[in-house]
Amino acid sequence: MFKRSLSILICFSLTFLTTACQAEKEVVIPPHAYVSVEESPETFKKNNEDIKQYWSFDDNPLNIGSLGVTFYKLRFPSDNYATVTFTYPNVPSFTIQNVSSTSGFYSHDRPERGIESSAVRFFIENAQGSYGVTKKDAYVAMQKLFKQLEEQDWLDDHRIDDPRISIQDSYTYGTSENVADDFVNYQYPLTFNQFKKLPSLQTWSLRHGTDVFLTVDMQYNFEEEIGSYVYMVSLDFRSEENYINSYISYDNPNDTMESLFTKAYPDLPTSRLYAETQALEIGLDIQQNQPDYTLPIVLERTGIDTSKFISIDPYKITYEEFIERKKAGEDMTPYYENQPKAKPEITSQVQGRCPAGQPCSKSGYWFTLAKADSRSYFRQGETMPDYPNNNWGEVIWQFEGKKG
């Protein structure tokens, strides 16, 4: 997860707030929106029928590699920013004030996913109700936000490719000019002096169990006309499946998450090695016993338990050395921690699918499209055969049944 440029939030210009900050606010009742990920667009519209004047829906039916994507947005006027409540099953509802906009999207070719993300953007205000604030005002507001999230059981999301470093070291790592990762653990209690040194765009990653993932982006800009800072915060909620898709990219509509993740999984240790090599270079220690967590969808669909993520020992080899030797054809297995081979062992396959070279998950008749007349009986535990140089690519066996 590399540092993102300021351009991702530039479209939400801060300069338009200058006059709004100086003018006195009228006492008005703000509109109240209700948003969630994985709900249908129809449910979204029903929940927000009374504020439909703020809606906008943008259909993109010609989106490459898809049957189309519809983007939705709720945008509120600067003199009447909204209150937004995020709701999701098994997750406490979360209410945000001073919201300028909220947006999300859904794919027409995967309607069962519903809305795949929901970004809520709001401005920090001071005790007088002005959006022109000091860094101290912003520090107090962010501490309050994180305390509320922690009380609702949100956890730091230590991603698979994040460096395994301590909470205390995350600040040093995430604010160093010599690293490419912006990882800072939100549970590390930042002092005000540390907060003041954060870059003008800072990101924190959180999760609630493995149901919903949350990215908190904080961006600030100094407005010379009013002699104060303006802080905008974006809360980007995503479902587990949408989160997993951040690791993979779809080349055509027939690609599936499970097939792409299985293919990408062996390369993820290299991403972590890159981050951990940088951590060692700036004098930090790697916590090699730091656990990962299980992503239920990945385990269900591929048999891969992400809590047992394969790692490369950064004390044995650096990222640059690893890549150089791998390109030269050297066997890199000895550099993997507690792993006899470099690829993940998939011990079970759901829906009766099993790749070649992996143990058969259940006894019965299996067939593969990679070879004509391939139907054969395999016992549980037998290694499924491979057929190199076939016209189908990767050999996937499919379970037909137990009777002949």
Side-chain angles (χ1 to χ4, degrees):
M1 183 173 58
F2 298 103
K3 287 183 177 177
R4 287 165 285 183
S5 66
L6 294 177
S7 62
I8 66 172
L9 291 176
I10 287 299
C11 58
F12 307 105
S13 174
L14 301 176
T15 55
F16 80 96
L17 285 170
T18 302
T19 55
C21 294
Q22 294 171 322
E24 292 185 5
K25 289 185 176 181
E26 297 180 8
V27 179
V28 293
I29 299 176
H32 198 141
Y34 296 87
V35 302
S36 175
V37 295
E38 290 197 340
E39 70 179 0
S40 68
E42 290 73 26
T43 300
F44 171 86
K45 292 178 180 179
K46 180 179 179 181
N47 290 341
N48 296 284
E49 177 68 27
D50 58 335
I51 56 170
K52 62 187 306 180
Q53 67 269 31
Y54 302 113
W55 291 354
S56 66
F57 285 83
D58 179 19
D59 287 316
N60 180 22
L62 299 180
N63 185 50
I64 296 175
S66 173
L67 295 179
V69 175
T70 292
F71 300 90
Y72 82 84
K73 179 173 288 187
L74 286 169
R75 181 174 291 174
F76 306 98
S78 59
D79 60 348
N80 194 20
Y81 283 153
T83 296
V84 171
T85 297
F86 173 80
T87 59
Y88 192 79
N90 304 318
V91 177
S93 61
F94 192 79
T95 299
I96 310 105
Q97 297 178 332
N98 302 320
V99 174
S100 61
S101 66
T102 177
S103 60
F105 71 94
Y106 66 93
S107 301
H108 295 261
D109 55 346
R110 295 182 174 92
E112 71 280 358
R113 294 180 182 174
I115 293 173
E116 296 189 41
S117 72
S118 186
V120 180
R121 303 171 187 87
F122 67 94
F123 290 95
I124 293 176
E125 65 176 7
N126 61 19
Q128 289 72 44
S130 170
Y131 298 124
V133 302
T134 65
K135 286 195 172 184
K136 186 68 174 182
D137 293 328
Y139 174 70
V140 172
M142 292 303 293
Q143 291 292 91
K144 181 180 178 181
L145 171 66
F146 284 137
K147 182 179 180 181
Q148 182 180 358
L149 289 166
E150 194 160 21
E151 289 175 346
Q152 294 186 342
D153 297 326
W154 288 87
L155 304 172
D156 174 69
D157 172 33
H158 192 90
R159 294 175 63 104
I160 290 176
D161 52 0
D162 279 333
R164 295 167 295 170
I165 55 180
S166 68
I167 292 178
Q168 292 76 13
D169 284 344
S170 70
Y171 176 82
T172 301
Y173 181 86
T175 56
S176 173
E177 294 293 331
N178 300 317
V179 303
D181 201 311
D182 61 1
F183 168 66
V184 175
N185 190 322
Y186 93 98
Q187 293 170 317
Y188 175 64
L190 292 175
T191 67
F192 177 52
N193 285 334
Q194 289 175 325
F195 181 84
K196 289 191 298 182
K197 297 176 183 178
L198 292 177
S200 56
L201 175 61
Q202 179 60 50
T203 299
W204 293 271
S205 299
L206 294 75
R207 62 186 173 90
H208 198 282
T210 51
D211 292 325
V212 182
F213 294 80
L214 169 62
T215 299
V216 180
D217 283 319
M218 180 190 74
Q219 181 186 9
Y220 68 84
N221 188 46
F222 184 75
E223 298 288 341
E224 294 184 357
E225 293 86 349
I226 59 175
S228 298
Y229 291 91
V230 176
Y231 278 79
M232 185 178 72
V233 180
S234 177
L235 306 179
D236 190 354
F237 298 92
R238 292 186 291 170
S239 65
E240 180 192 356
E241 186 161 350
N242 187 250
Y243 170 83
I244 295 169
N245 289 339
S246 67
Y247 288 106
I248 56 181
S249 59
Y250 293 86
D251 294 325
N252 63 73
N254 295 322
D255 288 335
T256 62
M257 181 273 289
E258 50 265 39
S259 64
L260 292 175
F261 190 86
T262 302
K263 182 178 179 180
Y265 188 76
D267 295 326
L268 290 174
T270 310
S271 299
R272 174 173 282 175
L273 177 62
Y274 181 80
E276 293 185 342
T277 295
Q278 293 185 319
L280 290 175
E281 288 174 348
I282 61 175
L284 303 180
D285 293 325
I286 305 303
Q287 312 292 314
Q288 289 174 287
N289 62 345
Q290 194 174 91
D292 293 296
Y293 56 87
T294 297
L295 285 165
I297 290 180
V298 171
L299 180 61
E300 175 190 350
R301 298 186 185 180
T302 71
I304 297 174
D305 187 350
T306 49
S307 67
K308 301 175 181 177
F309 178 59
I310 304 168
S311 295
I312 302 171
D313 188 345
Y315 291 102
K316 289 184 179 180
I317 193 167
T318 66
Y319 171 81
E320 291 77 10
E321 292 170 336
F322 184 92
I323 296 299
E324 182 179 354
R325 295 185 187 184
K326 184 177 181 181
K327 287 182 177 180
E330 182 178 338
D331 178 16
M332 305 309 293
T333 304
Y335 298 103
Y336 283 79
E337 296 178 292
N338 304 318
Q339 183 67 26
K341 52 187 177 181
K343 287 190 175 181
E345 181 175 357
I346 303 175
T347 57
S348 65
Q349 294 293 326
V350 296
Q351 298 178 344
R353 299 173 70 252
C354 188
Q358 299 298 329
C360 179
S361 59
K362 52 186 173 181
S363 299
Y365 285 89
W366 295 74
F367 72 97
T368 176
L369 297 175
K371 185 179 185 298
D373 301 321
S374 61
R375 184 176 181 273
S376 302
Y377 186 90
F378 296 95
R379 296 184 183 277
Q380 185 174 355
E382 287 186 54
T383 300
M384 305 302 285
D386 195 5
Y387 300 108
N389 303 318
N390 69 82
N391 294 327
W392 288 84
E394 183 182 8
V395 177
I396 300 294
W397 288 87
Q398 300 181 54
F399 184 73
E400 183 176 273
K402 293 188 176 182
K403 293 183 179 181

